[in-house]
């Protein structure tokens, strides 16, 4: 945390209202939010999708995206009203006194220019430094951001640098003109957890060194806890509450704020079991010549949840493709109830297909947009169990009730459902086949916290009621803790570790598990500080 | 070798291969002719001997593959065969080599096409850029309706409307563009004005719409927003951030429309009786003079393939991912 | 760590947006009322053309090939738009022209969609070498400009209406093939198709129930655009004298036959614009169709710009 705080007000946003144009109508995006930021202060803006946090962050620069406009309020930066002045005057603040860090560094850097030229562009333009000085300064910034080959990396093009490094180069770009304010717009959301730690640490370090004020936008409370002095919670374009970080974490006032980290409140007690329903043994799988799965062995017990956890590219989703028969492995076999399943989908019997069902991450593309809920759920029901007519309709209604939806949903199209409802319908579609094993591939990753909680609770209840076994593929450790009995840790196509949840989450750990687990941000504001100390 | 060269080489190879296959397709046109076409060419009173001699000249006594290779060999050395016209039943052959027929007309067509391109390309790129920058303004919307209307017009409608106003009612330009090799340059420009304006109108509408779409697509990129938020001026955003990434899409748009124009030339030449290769081809189709049709088609196809090839190569050499591999 | 206490949480209220259920017709009507002026002009014009094309014999005052004694007659009560170079009534031929020109273009467009759509779907589903062969074949066909290729083929097969329809239908099917294939490939990788495969559904079910309903809307817009293109192409060929042949009334050849009248503008402006009438008929129809397609593309794809 920062000590040398300077109480002079840097930014004052008063009763900001912003509207956006969509579907031939103006919609209210920000409905009157005020914000005050002192010099050197870091404020976290947190909220779920549709909260308007990005819009508000950009509004701090006096900027709205095309199709949006200010309809009320004013932004006063260092005594000057940004909303009043013509754009060419406002532009003199951008890139020099206020800078911006975007979510996807890969997209935000111009592919046609070397990094160094983009990093120093606004510093040189505003004549703060000449080109040579600015370049030397950028190299020292690269160094303090712990970028490898700091003197050389600037000569590379964006596509030649990895995502985590690019994000740090962008931080250098934002810092190069020594701004008074930096707007961070979800800068680590696209990164894997182990990379996120390095980027977070680097960003915090430079912000602290130069005593820059910042607005840090994210949907992840534990990330913002590491970065911000104060936190403001937004929802549907309105402010829910604002408080000092430690105070907010300890005693949030509003119900909504509490729900933001509610998934962590589910803690399914693990249950040991010896009866194996599904087993992968000695699996080697390839995409072309790329070895995706290397001698993978895992076991799933009756009525239990096996969580498969790993970062992007670890091969965890490929395991689902092998189990379902979409990808035939080169070696090894999948056994269901002690019988070897044919490797290829087309060789499996209807009965075998029925017993293993799948739920996907993106419910949007997992449902045919041209079919109604009745068609989507009814088809597997009639296909596998042969029921038709009135019986089928009753079965669909029964399934809808099981997922906490009523029969009024029966003739809706997917586009008429919310994100959580879509995922529920997908669950009902899997249930309709009366399966014994359900593979859940990142089913909660695309959803907001509160909706995630609802889906996870539903899955747990269904497991109890119907004695289902789950394979739960995820990158999110909190979800693993919430739902699993056993855990498999994957890295680069290999199983790092497998065992009961209690065993995996308590030391001693193999190196990778240790790195992975320690990289998951915690709600504790001192977590990053302590972690860096430990690692050093 | 630098990967850019390798990619270009691959693309060139593909171009040559396409050309080869296209030549096969064009060659096989003769193969599909009905058996009695010799009589149609020579007339019904043709003697058995003249027919036989003609068939021999065409090489119809040899297998198709040999004839193709033979034909391809001659084409590569600039010999496109001999026209069917000018022959008659008596066996007296007044036919002319196809190359001799095509050469002067090709020059005329190239003149018209270049003339049009010089006006149309800069005009539509600038207008396309302006409509993209000021999109959803009245200027943009009216341009949209105008171009949408213009691309729906057949070329001959535009051509005759121009004739009606600029040549018939007010006699500013000649309605016939029958230039010959003795026409002086400025006179030639004056005589070709109406066909060039017609082609320009039709091409600009297409090219403008596509340029606008390409630039809007480009301006929606994340790095352009980043440049804005870095305080870069509008002019610099266009020059420094958009333009270096715009060569490939712009080259594609220009090549596509020039290729389109080359085809539009056929109709326009007929309207203005302009002695170009398009008119020659139409006449040859009417009289079913297959060697001339083949020659013209080959030239059109080559132009088309060449233009697309150029666009692709511009796309390759301006792609930083290929220029600076990992 | 605070305990969550959202006990009365329910899936039904989780969404902030409430969707209202509407029948297909209601949705259509809502879209229709939002249609811009240009789209309305387009729809009314197209309906008018269809009406004229369908009831040509009842509207036309004379027979399609009926010859009157005075060629190139002036506009009069007897011949509203005068007569052509051999004394046929221009007004009558314009009306029959609607039937012939539009009819042939529609038939050709259908043929192109039949061939292109079928093969495109085939390539999407079978992939592998079928896709490779078809795609390469289409690449070659598309390497020759359409008008030029049709000229070559027409010179070989002659300009009958049947060969016209077959040649142009086949050549244009290449574009439909590409579109169907690319749209189809986008749909095939969707997880709902995978879900159907995992269920063990038959190929027929997957094609008709999962893929087809999702590729029809983009193809419908393409139908409008392709129709315009084919319509213009056939008109151009007829204008060049290698398309629809006399005595069949057709707008393209009518322009060519009467083109020389245009030089009399100084003497009789009406006679002079006579050749422009069929040309304008072509232009107005394509403009109208394009207006409809433009609106359709905007409503069905949100912000998607042309091309």
């Amino acid at each position: 945390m920062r000590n040398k705080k300077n109480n002079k007000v840097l930014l004052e946003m008063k009763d900001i209202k912003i509207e956006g144009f969509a579907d031939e109508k103006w919609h209210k995006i920000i409905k009157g939010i005020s914000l005050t930021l002192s010099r050197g202060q870091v404020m976290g803006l947190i909220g779920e999708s549709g909260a308007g946090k990005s819009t508000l962050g950009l509004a701090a620069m006096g900027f709205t995206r095309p199709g949006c406009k200010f309809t009320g309020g004013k932004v006063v930066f260092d005594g000057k009203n940004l909303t009043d002045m013509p754009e060419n005057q406002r532009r003199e603040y951008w890139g020099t006194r206020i800078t911006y860090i975007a979510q996807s560094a890969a997209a935000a850097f111009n592919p046609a220019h070397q990094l160094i030229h983009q990093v120093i562009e606004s510093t040189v333009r505003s004549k703060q430094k000449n080109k040579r000085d600015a370049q030397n300064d950028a190299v020292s910034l690269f160094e303090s951001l712990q970028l490898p080959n700091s003197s050389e990396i600037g000569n590379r093009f964006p596509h030649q640098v990895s995502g985590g490094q690019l994000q740090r180069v962008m931080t250098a770009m934002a810092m190069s003109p020594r701004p008074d304010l930096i707007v961070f717009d979800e800068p680590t959301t696209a990164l894997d957890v182990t990379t996120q730690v390095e980027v977070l640490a680097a960003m915090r370090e430079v912000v602290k060194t130069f005593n820059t004020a910042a607005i840090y936008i994210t949907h992840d409370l534990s990330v913002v806890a590491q970065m911000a002095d104060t936190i403001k919670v937004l929802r549907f374009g309105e402010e829910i509450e604002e408080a000092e970080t430690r105070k907010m974490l300890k005693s949030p006032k509003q119900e909504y704020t509490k729900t933001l980290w509610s998934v962590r409140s589910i803690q399914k007690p693990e249950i040991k079991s010896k009866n194996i329903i599904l087993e992968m043994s000695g699996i080697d799988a390839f995409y072309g010549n790329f070895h995706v799965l290397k001698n993978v062995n895992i076991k799933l017990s009756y009525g239990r949840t096996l969580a498969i956890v790993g970062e992007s590219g670890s091969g965890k989703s490929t395991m689902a493709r092998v189990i379902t028969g979409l990808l035939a492995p080169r070696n090894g076999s999948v056994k269901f109830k002690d019988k070897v399943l044919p490797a290829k989908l087309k060789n499996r019997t209807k009965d075998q297909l029925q017993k293993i069902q799948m739920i996907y991450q993106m419910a949007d593309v997992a449902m045919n947009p041209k079919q109604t809920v009745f068609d989507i759920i009814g088809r597997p029901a009639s296909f596998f169990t042969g029921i038709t007519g009135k019986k089928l309709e009753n079965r669909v209604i029964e399934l809808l009730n099981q997922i906490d939806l009523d029969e009024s949903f029966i003739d809706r199209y997917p586009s008429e459902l919310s994100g959580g409802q879509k995922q529920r319908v997908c669950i009902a579609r899997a249930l309709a086949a009366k399966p014994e094993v359900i593979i859940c591939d990142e089913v909660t990753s695309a959803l907001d916290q509160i909706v995630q909680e609802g889906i996870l609770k539903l899955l747990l209840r269904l497991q109890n009621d119907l004695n289902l076994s789950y394979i739960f593929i995820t990158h999110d450790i909190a979800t693993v803790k919430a739902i699993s009995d056993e855990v498999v840790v994957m890295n680069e196509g290999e199983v790092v570790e497998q065992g009961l949840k209690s065993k995996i989450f308590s030391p001693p750990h193999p190196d990778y598990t240790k790195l992975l687990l320690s990289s998951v941000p915690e709600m504790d504001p001192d977590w990053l500080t302590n972690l860096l100390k430990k690692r050093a | 070798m630098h990967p850019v060269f390798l990619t270009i080489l691959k693309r060139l190879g593909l171009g040559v291969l396409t050309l080869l296959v296209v030549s096969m397709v064009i060659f096989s046109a003769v193969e599909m002719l009905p058996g009695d076409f010799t009589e149609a060419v020579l007339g019904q009173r043709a003697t058995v001997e003249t027919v036989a001699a003609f068939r021999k000249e065409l090489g119809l006594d040899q297998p198709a593959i040999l004839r193709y290779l033979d034909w391809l060999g001659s084409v590569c050395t600039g010999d496109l065969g001999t026209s069917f016209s000018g022959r008659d039943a008596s066996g007296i052959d007044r036919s002319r080599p196809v190359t001799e027929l095509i050469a002067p007309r090709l020059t005329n067509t190239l003149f018209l096409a270049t003339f049009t391109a010089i006006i149309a390309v800069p005009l539509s790129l600038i207008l396309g850029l302006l409509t993209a920058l000021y999109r959803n303004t009245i200027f943009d919307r009216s341009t949209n309706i105008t171009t949408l209307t213009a691309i729906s017009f057949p070329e001959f409608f535009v051509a005759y409307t121009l004739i009606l106003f600029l040549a018939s009612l007010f006699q500013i330009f000649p309605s016939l563009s029958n230039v010959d090799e003795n026409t002086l340059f400025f006179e030639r420009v004056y005589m070709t004005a109406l066909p060039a304006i017609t082609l320009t109108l039709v091409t600009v509408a297409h090219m403008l719409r596509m340029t606008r779409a390409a630039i809007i697509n480009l301006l929606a990129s994340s790095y352009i927003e980043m440049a804005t938020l870095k305080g870069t001026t509008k002019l610099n955003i266009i020059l420094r951030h958009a333009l270096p990434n715009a060569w490939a899409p712009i080259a594609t748009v220009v090549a596509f429309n020039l290729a389109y124009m080359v085809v539009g030339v056929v109709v326009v030449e007929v309207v203005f009786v302009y002695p170009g290769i398009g008119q020659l081809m139409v006449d040859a189709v009417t009289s079913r003079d297959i060697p001339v049709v083949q020659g013209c088609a080959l030239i059109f196809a080559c132009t088309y393939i060449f233009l697309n090839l150029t666009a692709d190569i511009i796309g390759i050499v301006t792609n930083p991912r290929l220029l600076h591999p990992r | 760590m605070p305990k969550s206490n959202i006990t009365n949480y329910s899936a039904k209220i989780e969404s902030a947006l409430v969707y209202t259920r509407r029948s297909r017709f209601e949705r259509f009507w809502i879209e229709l009322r939002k249609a811009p002026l240009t789209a309305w002009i387009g729809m009314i014009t197209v309906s008018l053309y269809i009406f004229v094309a369908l009831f040509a014999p009842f509207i036309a005052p004379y027979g399609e090939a009926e010859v009157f004694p005075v060629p190139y007659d002036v506009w009069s009560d007897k011949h509203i738009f005068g007569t052509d170079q051999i004394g046929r009534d221009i007004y009558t031929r314009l009306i029959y022209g609607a039937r012939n020109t539009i009819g042939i273009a529609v038939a050709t467009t259908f043929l192109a969609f039949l061939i292109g759509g079928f093969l495109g779907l085939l390539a999407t589903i079978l992939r592998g070498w079928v896709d490779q062969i078809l795609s390469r074949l289409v690449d070659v066909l598309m390497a020759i400009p359409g008008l030029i290729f049709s000229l070559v083929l027409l010179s070989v097969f002659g300009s009958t209406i049947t060969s016209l329809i077959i040649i142009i239908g086949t050549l244009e099917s290449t574009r439909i093939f590409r579109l169907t294939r690319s749209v189809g490939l986008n749909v095939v990788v969707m997880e709902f198709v995978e879900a159907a495969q995992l269920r063990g559904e038959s190929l027929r079910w997957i094609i008709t129930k999962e893929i087809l309903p999702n590729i029809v809307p983009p193809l419908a817009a393409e139908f409008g655009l392709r129709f315009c293109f084919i319509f213009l192409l056939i008109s151009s060929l007829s204008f060049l004298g290698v398309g629809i042949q006399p005595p069949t009334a057709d707008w393209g050849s009518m322009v060519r036959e009467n083109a020389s009248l245009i030089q009399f503008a100084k003497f009789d402006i009406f006679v002079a614009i006579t050749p422009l009438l069929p040309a304008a008929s072509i232009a107005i129809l394509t403009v109208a169709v394009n207006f409809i397609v433009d609106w359709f593309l905007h409503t069905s794809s949100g912000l998607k710009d042309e091309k």
Side-chain angles (χ1 to χ4, degrees), chain A residues 379-398:
Chain A
R379 179 60 190 177
S382 65
F383 186 80
F384 287 119
T385 56
I387 50 174
T388 51
K390 191 74 196 154
K391 260 191 184 162
L392 181 63
E393 201 180 319
N394 288 336
R395 171 73 176 140
V396 171
I397 292 170
E398 183 198 354

Side-chain angles (χ1 to χ4, degrees), chain A residues 102-346:
Chain A
Q103 174 171 345
S104 165
F109 275 112
N110 193 323
H113 298 297
Q114 286 166 312
L115 292 169
I116 189 79
H117 298 305
Q118 307 191 49
V119 168
I120 62 168
E121 184 181 349
S122 41
T123 312
V124 173
R125 190 193 59 230
S126 62
K127 304 204 169 63
Q128 288 185 17
K129 293 192 179 81
N130 65 33
K131 200 172 167 186
R132 179 173 301 252
D133 291 350
Q135 284 191 356
N136 290 337
D137 176 63
V139 170
S140 59
L141 278 171
F142 291 158
E143 221 160 274
S144 57
L145 286 158
Q146 282 151 34
L147 280 161
N149 305 328
S150 51
S151 53
E152 179 269 329
I153 195 166
N155 300 329
R156 298 199 205 164
F157 284 84
H159 66 272
Q160 296 170 319
V161 177
S162 76
Q165 292 177 357
L166 266 189
Q167 203 58 263
R168 276 181 274 172
V169 175
M170 186 147 57
T171 310
M173 177 161 86
M175 199 48 91
S176 167
R178 299 294 183 275
D180 300 305
L181 172 65
I182 301 184
V183 178
F184 291 90
D185 193 353
E186 304 243 16
T188 62
T189 306
L191 304 175
D192 277 328
V193 278
T194 50
T195 323
Q196 171 173 277
V197 174
E198 300 160 10
V199 177
L200 278 181
M203 289 190 306
R204 196 173 71 164
E205 186 55 35
V206 288
V207 170
K208 209 190 267 177
T209 313
F210 298 106
N211 195 30
T212 315
I215 290 177
Y216 195 99
I217 299 159
T218 177
H219 65 280
D220 190 341
L221 248 180
S222 51
V223 165
V224 84
Q226 313 310 317
M227 302 295 292
D229 304 318
T230 47
I231 293 175
K232 191 194 273 295
V233 182
L234 307 180
R235 190 186 196 195
F236 303 142
E238 284 167 26
E239 176 177 332
I240 301 293
E241 63 177 317
E242 183 188 324
E244 223 248 304
T245 302
R246 282 169 200 277
K247 214 159 137 197
M248 173 79 88
L249 293 175
K250 219 173 285 166
S251 50
K253 291 195 193 75
Q254 302 295 321
E255 274 306 291
Y256 175 71
T257 315
K258 294 171 189 169
T259 65
L260 277 176
W261 57 94
S262 58
V263 69
R264 288 158 177 86
S265 70
I266 311 178
Q267 277 285 4
K268 174 190 143 88
E270 66 182 23
I271 306 169
K272 248 186 173 157
S273 174
K274 273 279 158 265
N275 291 330
I276 305 300
I277 182 165
L278 188 89
E279 186 177 357
M280 285 174 95
S281 35
I283 297 286
D284 277 294
F286 289 77
Y287 285 132
N289 281 326
F290 181 62
H291 204 166
V292 215
L293 293 179
K294 301 166 188 162
N295 190 23
V296 167
N297 299 289
I298 61 159
K299 286 172 185 158
L300 170 68
S301 313
Y302 272 98
R304 300 288 169 262
T305 304
L306 174 69
I308 299 176
V309 63
E311 297 183 279
S312 50
S314 63
K316 55 190 191 305
S317 288
T318 312
M319 289 170 73
R321 295 180 64 82
V322 169
I323 296 170
T324 52
L326 285 170
L327 179 71
R330 204 170 283 181
N331 298 310
S333 63
V334 180
K335 264 190 251 171
F336 179 73
K337 291 186 174 171
D338 294 328
K339 281 208 189 95
V340 174
L341 287 174
K344 283 188 184 150
L345 182 66
K346 60 177 181 192

Side-chain angles (χ1 to χ4, degrees), chain B residues 18 21-22 25 29 32 148 152-154 156-157 160 164 168-169 212-213 263 270-271 281-282 285 288 297 300 304, chain C residues 140 142-143 145 147-149 151-152 155-156 239-240 242 255 259 262-263 265-266 276 279 283 286-287 290-291 305-306:
Chain B
T18 315
V21 180
V22 166
V25 172
M32 291 185 285
L148 191 62
S152 313
F153 287 168
F156 53 82
F157 178 63
Y160 282 124
L164 179 67
S168 191
L169 272 181
R212 177 181 176 274
V263 178
V270 171
V271 173
M281 183 167 183
V282 173
V285 171
R288 302 180 83 168
F300 278 116
Y304 201 76
Chain C
V140 170
M142 286 180 84
L147 180 71
I148 304 301
F149 208 163
L151 282 176
V152 173
S155 71
V156 174
F239 170 76
L240 295 175
V242 291
V255 177
I262 217 157
Q263 47 191 297
K266 287 234 151 154
L276 287 180
T286 38
V287 172
N290 264 325
F291 276 167
D305 245 279
E306 55 273 348

Side-chain angles (χ1 to χ4, degrees), chain C residues 265-284:
Chain C
K266 287 234 151 154
F267 310 102
D268 185 339
I269 184 71
F270 292 113
V271 167
I273 63 167
T274 306
L276 287 180
L277 294 175
S281 306
I282 297 168
I284 291 169

Side-chain angles (χ1 to χ4, degrees), chain A residues 368 379 383 411 416 420, chain C residues 14 19 21 27 199 201 214:
Chain A
N368 190 336
R379 179 60 190 177
F383 186 80
D411 57 357
E416 298 162 328
Chain C
E14 102 189 355
Y19 297 91
R21 181 91 184 86
R27 284 167 206 235
R199 204 155 60 219
E201 296 280 9
N214 287 294

